[in-house]
Amino acid sequence: MDLRVLADHLARTAGELIRSGRPERVEVAATKSSAVDVVTRMDRESEAFLRRELAAERPDDAILGEEEGASDGTSGITWVLDPIDGTVNYLYGVASYAVSVAAVLGPVDPARWTVVAGAVHSVVDDRTWTAGLGAGSTVDGVPVRVEQAPRLDECLVGTGFGYDAQRRRTQAQVLVEVLPRVRDIRRLGSAAIDLCLVASGEIDLYYERGLNPWDLAAGALVAQEAGATVTGLRGRPAGQAMTVAGPRGVTGELVALLEELDADQG
Ligand code: IPD
């Protein structure tokens, strides 16, 4: 099966598992003490499902998953899996969480990898973005293209925060400077969906420090193949230090501001 078609199939099918496995009502107060358990159980089930499907369909490929880590292969392809991106939203029932599946050629390092295919399935609104390297991006089969954006001060900008408290302090300081210079900020809670919304023009720009390969791989390809610039700061590629995505000109404006703020430090 074509890698993009397989990524699409896997992301949608794991999405169905997640949808049907989440109780109608999760009592958040009752769940808080065991929040990690609840989320981890469904994360694990989703990743185990993806791994079983891949073992049957592509037994020679390697896998890197958020829950189970790395397993080796011989084909040169690694599947990079985020079984639930947006786990806090999943816990609370906020409607923005996704399954992210990408096929990567070469090292699984955002600075050196080639992502050849990816799919992001947004579970609650049942939409799936897919992309193939050099073959464009679609949402539910309909091509998406990034439009030229207005000036930075007219842009709706998505961002996110990692879980580390110290890093959150510096991210908050960066936000203090970015917020007055843009139309508004959205913290939607799933990096994979944020990148796809850039591809669809539903937000203008996105930036985040601290992304893991599984948060980034599929969504970055979707954004890039839709015509977005996806980059880091100071001429570096997008990755853990910083990821910025959006239409070319205005992405340069945001990159310049983030460089001035040393947003990839601390
Ligand atoms: C998180 C989400 C969130 C982003 C965090 C990620 P997870 O992934 O993508 O939007 O801000 O940096 O870690 O933990 O829900 O898979």
Side-chain angles (χ1 to χ4, degrees):
M1 198 188 291
D2 173 79
L3 296 178
R4 179 177 183 175
V5 172
L6 180 57
D8 183 8
H9 166 75
L10 291 171
R12 281 178 201 269
T13 324
E16 276 161 30
L17 182 82
I18 291 166
R19 207 170 11 250
S20 58
R22 187 178 187 281
E24 276 286 293
R25 282 165 53 88
V26 177
E27 295 298 335
V28 173
T31 314
K32 266 184 179 162
S33 57
S34 58
V36 176
D37 293 347
V38 171
V39 174
T40 304
R41 195 179 62 239
M42 187 44 85
D43 259 321
R44 285 205 183 123
E45 279 178 28
S46 172
E47 185 166 324
F49 166 80
L50 292 168
R51 281 175 181 270
R52 276 196 308 273
E53 294 280 306
L54 282 167
E57 193 71 35
R58 308 262 323 172
D60 298 332
D61 294 353
I63 298 176
L64 175 69
E66 182 178 16
E67 297 303 315
E68 289 182 39
S71 50
D72 290 340
T74 52
S75 67
I77 294 282
T78 302
W79 291 88
V80 179
L81 310 174
D82 194 338
I84 304 181
D85 184 55
T87 43
V88 176
N89 284 345
Y90 174 78
L91 173 63
Y92 279 77
V94 177
S96 183
Y97 48 91
V99 181
S100 174
V101 175
V104 168
L105 195 58
V108 187
D109 169 359
R112 295 183 296 141
W113 68 17
T114 305
V115 185
V116 290
V120 175
H121 175 69
S122 176
V123 176
V124 178
D125 63 357
D126 193 16
R127 290 201 289 173
T128 311
W129 287 264
T130 73
L133 185 63
S137 299
T138 57
V139 58
D140 294 336
V142 179
V144 287
R145 281 304 294 171
V146 166
E147 301 293 332
Q148 264 319 310
R151 304 186 322 244
L152 185 58
D153 61 2
E154 294 172 336
C155 282
L156 185 60
V157 181
T159 191
F161 314 109
Y163 297 113
D164 175 75
Q166 182 53 42
R167 189 169 274 182
R168 285 187 159 198
R169 279 197 185 87
T170 51
Q171 287 174 327
Q173 284 157 10
V174 169
L175 189 60
V176 163
E177 298 300 330
V178 173
L179 181 56
R181 291 171 160 93
V182 300
R183 183 190 296 276
D184 211 342
I185 290 283
R186 292 290 179 271
R187 197 289 192 248
L188 298 169
S190 160
I193 293 178
D194 288 331
L195 286 157
C196 291
L197 294 182
V198 168
S200 296
E202 293 169 58
I203 57 176
D204 296 307
L205 287 163
Y206 166 71
Y207 77 94
E208 183 161 349
R209 171 157 167 72
L211 291 183
N212 290 302
W214 45 83
D215 301 316
L216 181 62
L221 184 67
V222 169
Q224 180 194 305
E225 284 295 324
T229 297
V230 181
T231 183
L233 302 188
R234 302 171 223 290
R236 296 190 191 108
Q240 192 141 44
M242 181 59 71
T243 296
V244 189
R248 189 155 50 97
V250 78
T251 299
E253 277 187 65
L254 180 58
V255 164
L257 173 60
L258 294 170
E259 286 175 353
E260 205 183 295
L261 298 169
D262 285 331
D264 55 348
Q265 313 291 315

